[in-house]
Amino acid sequence: MADTITITLPDGTTKAVPAGTPARTIAEAIGPRLAKAAVAARIDGEIWDLARPIRGDARLEVLTDRDAAALDVLRHSAAHILATAVRQLFPEAHIGFGPPIQDGFYYDFEVPRPFTPDDLTAIEAKMQEVIAADYPFAREEVDRPTAEQRFRDDPLKLERLAELGDDETISVYTDGPFVDLCRGPHVPGTGNLKFFKLLHAAGAYWRGDERRQMLQRIYGTAWFSQKDLDAYLHQLEEARKRDHRVLGKQLDLFSIQEAVGPGLVFWHPRGATIKWLLSRLVEDDNVANGYDLVYTPNITREELFRISGHLPHYAEAQYPPMAAAAGEADDVRYRVKPMNCPMHALVYSSRQRSFRDLPLRLSEVANVYRNEKSGTLHGMLRVRGLCMDDAHIFCTLDQAEDEIFLCLDQVDRLVRQTFGLDLEFEVSTAPADKLGDDATWRQAEALLQRALERKGIPFTIDAGGGAFYGPKIDIKFKDAIGRIWQGPTIQLDFQLPARFELEYTGADNQPHRPVMIHRAIWGTLERFVGCLIEHFAGAFPLWLAPVQVRVLPITDVQADTARALRAQYRKAGIRAEVDDRNDTLNYRIRDAEMLKVPYMAVIGQREMDQGTVAVRVRGAGRKQEIVSADAFLDRLRAEIASRTLVLGASA
RNA sequence: GCCGACAUAGCUCAGUGGUAGAGCAGCUGUUUCGUAAACAGCAGGUCCUCGGUUCAAAUCCGAGUGUCGGCUCCA
């Protein structure tokens, strides 16, 4: 074994150092400032502790607080510091896992009673003590008996230990009084953590398995600077202000009422306007692109969902059966539909189909009902009554790729171009409980990927994330503050056509089986509108705004003129209101601003005399523009027609 | 469904065992106003529901319902 090893730095220079030299020593040799800023090191692409001895030739990159990877190391160490504190305050706590996550970290504990908010305060204070002590994070590689001995009182760690293969290195990390079974790496010492906050505690199943015991998870966030921490906490605050449940109430868009039941949405007039506009938009686009409209029943004999395979798969998430109508056999049961696919399959099979009929594209904006678990419901984003902009395309296998390509095109047109949303694509492959054979699945998965590649769309793979009947392309978008939402979906299905024995007659005069593509552009109107509320923070673009113009007469003298203007605008298709309440102009302007009405048309004596309006733009402050009432109408129409996202930017 | 917290006027919230409160909104009146809150008055309550403890419960206890934060799930 060589005594001297060669370390290659990112700039290509090399250093010869004794074998076993840790990265910290090399950083110190490069410069004291680098050594001080160093958090961890990247050794041949792998993140290592600064103190870990390097045994052979390697490429080395010193990581400082400027590297994203270093933030994960810090957060992982923060989780250990949290566990260190918890173990001091609650010596009987068993430890589970404590990884870094997006924006922070958590640690799971098995404790006799859940943590209270007061506990969190005490734990945070204890963490400060651990940080002040600046215990070094010491790595040790141990054999299995030693590890079993160290963790003899931690059943969760022993379980994890038992899963490690015999060829795997078992490493433990110690910081002061705390020892953890951990792969690492960590920051040099507990004193490296300076800017953090514990956020909340919640139950979480051990190993994410609902059949196992529930642990208590503490979430926290950690950053390299006070500024970053403040910015993150501020962003959480901003997100709360945009919450569609809050805005939905403030802007009177929708409600969910206990008298009717959880997860069932009432669309109030303003919210219904948005839903109506989106439904119309997608229906118009469907019809313009070769789809046919259908309407199908909301309840069905449950046998239909036995044939489709949905009932056995999703039995607990469907509403229970209803008894048969008088005159039917006693054992007939009805169900409210949880989805439309079998209905559309029946429209397909209601007559003979020729290859000349294909592709047959059936679309329906339809309500379906799913008995989602109570704990999963969330405003409009997770509901029990869903309105889907659903469609099913029946086509030959040869046509499928083109059809998927066209679906991707429609998503691009309606979601990306119309709303300026960034899209991310994910191909979800065969799940464990799939129907059908492997070869068919691979064929279907390849087909989806080819369509994406042809459209030049990069995508990621969600292995095992597909529906039981086929793989899918899930499309996610990023909202105004960077959060990711699941929106459109395109799914390929070989199973339902077989289960419903769908056929068409080919050019060869022989029966053939079509394939089926399920697709939704908005997904559900509930979720999409909920996302849009948060994306726009309630300030919708003109074309989508429930109220587009508020006409404000300054005094009673102008009230009739204002009402006449409203009538004229409404006739032209503009959603206009008059606010002639007995309140000051300032008050009414404030009210319209808070309702996020895009335009106010103020009419005083001057405007009344000259046939003009003083236009105030939402969010633009006192800046106003005097234009003729007719010119303003033209401007509104142009801006609505262009569906522009920016007020005042038509065409 | 699981763990925890919460539920008071239309909304946001105060009220730790002794006669239920504020701000905003609403209604009425005065004011007729030039770009983000005029003034005054009035009205508004099954303190989520049911049960228990107590001389006395919004307040303490139990169950249920709903909501919120997570977990699990999401055709």
Side-chain angles (χ1 to χ4, degrees):
Chain A
M1 183 168 152
D3 292 331
T4 300
I5 57 172
T6 304
I7 300 297
T8 308
L9 300 174
D11 63 2
T13 61
T14 60
K15 276 186 186 298
V17 297
T21 301
R24 171 182 295 138
T25 308
I26 297 164
E28 281 163 355
I30 296 171
R33 275 179 58 199
L34 180 66
K36 193 159 180 291
V39 174
R42 186 177 277 127
I43 310 292
D44 286 336
E46 209 177 298
I47 313 286
W48 279 33
D49 308 309
L50 285 176
R52 187 165 167 190
I54 304 168
R55 303 284 178 200
D57 293 350
R59 283 178 292 110
L60 179 151
E61 183 188 350
V62 176
L63 298 181
T64 67
D65 59 18
R66 303 234 294 269
D67 295 277
L71 201 46
D72 271 353
V73 176
L74 178 76
R75 287 169 178 164
H76 187 185
S77 299
H80 278 232
I81 293 166
L82 165 60
T84 310
V86 168
R87 268 300 241 288
Q88 293 196 3
L89 294 169
F90 305 89
E92 73 287 9
H94 294 139
I95 49 176
F97 291 128
I101 51 171
Q102 172 92 40
D103 299 327
F105 60 91
Y106 68 76
Y107 211 111
D108 286 342
F109 303 95
E110 189 171 31
V111 279
R113 64 159 180 87
F115 297 111
T116 65
D118 286 346
D119 291 337
L120 288 199
T121 310
I123 292 165
E124 206 171 85
K126 184 59 81 177
M127 286 174 75
Q128 293 293 2
E129 291 176 26
V130 174
I131 290 166
D134 195 16
Y135 302 118
F137 277 99
R139 177 191 173 90
E140 236 183 306
E141 292 180 6
V142 300
D143 58 19
R144 190 175 295 271
T146 309
E148 282 170 355
Q149 178 61 23
R150 290 262 180 98
F151 297 104
R152 64 185 182 280
D153 294 329
D154 270 311
L156 306 178
K157 287 293 170 188
L158 289 176
E159 180 178 330
R160 173 70 190 129
L161 192 57
E163 291 169 356
L164 289 175
D166 285 333
D167 53 333
E168 287 184 80
T169 305
I170 299 172
S171 59
V172 299
Y173 278 80
T174 306
D175 62 291
F178 181 69
V179 186
D180 201 353
L181 176 69
C182 174
R183 189 168 289 152
H186 282 283
V187 296
T190 57
N192 283 69
L193 179 64
K194 294 189 172 68
F195 310 101
F196 77 99
K197 185 172 168 55
L198 297 185
L199 297 174
H200 54 262
Y205 297 110
W206 168 233
R207 311 307 292 268
D209 184 341
E210 66 180 330
R211 288 163 306 189
R212 307 209 55 180
Q213 73 266 44
M214 185 153 267
L215 309 181
Q216 294 303 318
R217 175 172 297 178
I218 297 177
Y219 285 93
T221 187
W223 302 83
F224 278 119
S225 73
Q226 187 68 44
K227 202 176 120 226
D228 288 349
L229 175 59
D230 289 345
Y232 174 67
L233 296 176
H234 178 72
Q235 190 208 315
L236 289 183
E237 199 53 45
E238 283 302 298
R240 260 191 289 276
K241 272 190 251 167
R242 288 170 172 264
D243 190 316
H244 74 284
R245 293 164 300 182
V246 174
L247 289 170
K249 191 166 270 180
Q250 277 170 14
L251 305 181
D252 196 17
L253 300 173
F254 74 95
S255 65
I256 294 172
Q257 307 202 28
E258 194 173 338
V260 167
L264 302 167
V265 174
F266 287 74
W267 295 84
H268 294 198
R270 290 166 195 267
T273 299
I274 295 169
K275 183 185 179 198
W276 172 67
L277 290 164
L278 290 173
S279 301
R280 253 187 10 175
L281 179 60
V282 75
E283 283 177 338
D284 288 349
D285 197 86
N286 284 343
V287 171
N289 287 282
Y291 284 78
D292 294 316
L293 298 175
V294 297
Y295 297 104
T296 63
N298 288 328
I299 62 170
T300 167
R301 291 182 172 177
E302 70 175 7
E303 185 59 19
L304 187 70
F305 288 111
R306 258 187 243 293
I307 296 171
S308 70
H310 288 94
L311 201 46
H313 255 87
Y314 297 104
E316 79 293 346
Q318 293 200 30
Y319 280 98
M322 293 172 269
E328 291 182 271
D330 284 346
D331 59 347
V332 172
R333 291 288 179 273
Y334 283 77
R335 296 264 189 169
V336 64
K337 70 176 170 184
M339 28 94 69
N340 305 301
C341 335
M343 298 283 184
H344 291 185
L346 291 182
V347 174
Y348 178 94
S349 65
S350 65
R351 42 162 285 194
Q352 283 191 317
R353 300 290 175 183
S354 151
F355 72 97
R356 298 178 195 280
D357 296 331
L358 306 185
L360 181 70
R361 309 181 186 93
L362 302 179
S363 68
E364 177 176 13
V365 176
N367 290 316
V368 300
Y369 292 86
R370 298 175 182 177
N371 195 5
E372 302 286 1
K373 289 180 187 173
S374 58
T376 64
L377 301 176
H378 182 97
M380 294 180 108
L381 301 181
R382 190 73 183 274
V383 293
R384 289 188 171 148
L386 305 64
C387 184
M388 303 178 70
D389 70 306
D390 211 356
H392 295 90
I393 300 165
F394 301 87
C395 62
T396 68
L397 184 57
D398 290 344
Q399 293 168 332
E401 191 186 316
D402 281 347
E403 287 302 313
I404 289 163
F405 184 88
L406 290 172
C407 289
L408 290 169
D409 211 51
Q410 195 177 22
V411 168
D412 186 72
R413 189 165 57 242
L414 294 182
V415 183
R416 192 184 65 77
Q417 290 181 35
T418 307
F419 292 103
L421 295 165
D422 277 341
L423 302 181
E424 288 173 14
F425 297 76
E426 191 171 81
V427 174
S428 300
T429 60
D433 58 345
K434 64 183 195 292
L435 293 180
D437 61 273
D438 290 345
T440 310
W441 272 85
R442 274 196 296 276
Q443 185 184 14
E445 289 161 9
L447 212 152
L448 292 177
Q449 297 187 24
R450 276 204 307 277
L452 282 162
E453 281 156 12
R454 211 175 101 204
K455 185 125 178 76
I457 294 174
F459 59 89
T460 56
I461 304 278
D462 174 16
F468 71 87
Y469 50 71
K472 55 183 180 171
I473 301 174
D474 278 331
I475 299 161
K476 298 163 199 255
F477 51 82
K478 232 186 233 177
D479 73 8
I481 60 171
R483 290 168 305 176
I484 308 267
W485 305 90
Q486 155 77 46
T489 181
I490 302 168
Q491 312 180 354
L492 190 53
D493 183 358
F494 293 110
Q495 305 307 325
L496 281 190
R499 291 181 154 247
F500 282 95
E501 298 176 337
L502 303 184
E503 286 183 348
Y504 65 89
T505 305
D508 58 4
N509 198 30
Q510 294 297 308
H512 297 274
R513 179 135 296 155
V515 299
M516 203 169 160
I517 296 166
H518 311 238
R519 78 100 185 94
I521 303 296
W522 308 135
T524 74
L525 272 299
E526 285 79 12
R527 178 173 293 187
F528 195 74
V529 171
C531 291
L532 287 184
I533 292 169
E534 304 205 0
H535 175 64
F536 291 118
F540 295 101
L542 183 67
W543 73 274
L544 205 53
V547 175
Q548 296 170 310
V549 183
R550 239 191 206 189
V551 185
L552 305 183
I554 290 181
T555 73
D556 289 348
V557 178
Q558 296 90 31
D560 284 339
T561 309
R563 283 190 282 267
L565 192 70
R566 173 183 63 189
Q568 181 200 349
Y569 281 12
R570 279 192 181 167
K571 218 165 258 177
I574 309 289
R575 295 184 291 277
E577 285 181 355
V578 170
D579 183 359
D580 58 355
R581 286 177 297 178
N582 181 16
D583 283 293
T584 60
L585 180 62
N586 274 344
Y587 179 91
R588 287 175 289 150
I589 285 172
R590 176 181 152 83
D591 191 63
E593 285 283 357
M594 290 198 307
L595 287 173
K596 320 236 180 197
V597 177
Y599 289 110
M600 280 170 251
V602 179
I603 303 182
Q605 192 59 50
R606 289 200 299 274
E607 288 76 17
M608 193 171 84
D609 293 343
Q610 296 164 8
T612 57
V613 291
V615 176
R616 180 181 165 120
V617 183
R618 175 181 67 204
R622 37 190 325 134
K623 198 169 69 183
Q624 54 170 332
E625 193 187 345
I626 314 292
V627 293
S628 82
D630 291 338
F632 184 49
L633 175 59
D634 290 342
R635 205 172 109 187
L636 290 170
R637 294 166 97 165
E639 193 173 325
I640 290 165
S642 74
R643 293 205 187 91
T644 172
L645 297 173
V646 184
L647 290 184
S650 55

